[in-house]
Amino acid sequence: MQDKSIESQISYGSNFVTGNVGGNVTASINELPDSSEPNKPGIKESLTQLQKAIEADSNLTQKYKEKALKQLQSLAEAGKNPQGNQEIAEKAIIFLKGLFTGIPKTAKLIEQWEKLLPAIASFFGFEN
């Protein structure tokens, strides 16, 4: 009976960490300015869309979702001062590119990534 209790606690702890990471990412993204162009997503909208795609993707394990979300949070934090935080943004983009190479090209996450990467990279002054 003790073993079941321990398993339950481990499972609960794991879910708590994931929820906490996602909440932190959302809070960081929400601090960014809205797009100035109504029909063109800005950094806030791009990161929000990417967050949803990461959270919904079935190809990533929970561990890798958390790692991807932490990099997304780094991008959101860097977005508050894009020119001063280019190195942080570059590392996060490189990490995400590497992580996503193992996912099938037809996955919704990859479609979103390929659609959003140019806007994210451009925001930080990079070419993708």
Side-chain angles (χ1 to χ4, degrees):
M1 189 143 180
Q2 269 186 332
D3 289 341
K4 290 181 182 177
S5 174
I6 291 171
E7 287 175 20
S8 175
Q9 290 174 355
I10 291 170
S11 174
Y12 176 77
S14 174
N15 290 335
F16 177 75
V17 170
T18 305
N20 192 27
V21 171
N24 289 343
V25 173
T26 300
S28 294
I29 291 172
N30 285 336
E31 292 177 16
L32 296 170
D34 292 326
S35 175
S36 58
E37 300 177 44
N39 296 328
K40 184 178 176 189
I43 190 68
K44 180 178 183 177
E45 295 79 12
S46 296
L47 293 180
T48 299
Q49 289 175 32
L50 189 54
Q51 178 185 8
K52 289 177 184 174
I54 290 168
E55 290 172 344
D57 190 79
S58 62
N59 294 294
L60 289 175
T61 64
Q62 201 60 37
K63 175 182 173 181
Y64 287 118
K65 283 183 184 185
E66 289 177 18
K67 288 179 181 284
L69 290 172
K70 285 180 183 177
Q71 295 305 313
L72 207 59
Q73 184 174 4
S74 292
L75 284 171
E77 292 296 326
K80 295 173 188 174
N81 179 12
Q83 298 310 312
N85 291 317
Q86 284 184 321
E87 188 173 333
I88 293 168
E90 183 178 31
K91 286 179 182 179
I93 290 170
I94 289 169
F95 179 90
L96 290 170
K97 280 183 179 180
L99 179 64
F100 296 160
T101 58
I103 298 175
K105 289 274 187 197
T106 55
K108 182 86 172 158
L109 173 58
I110 300 305
E111 291 175 16
Q112 286 291 315
W113 172 248
E114 290 176 351
K115 182 177 105 179
L116 298 170
L117 179 59
I120 294 169
S122 174
F123 179 79
F124 290 101
F126 306 133
E127 293 181 23
N128 63 332

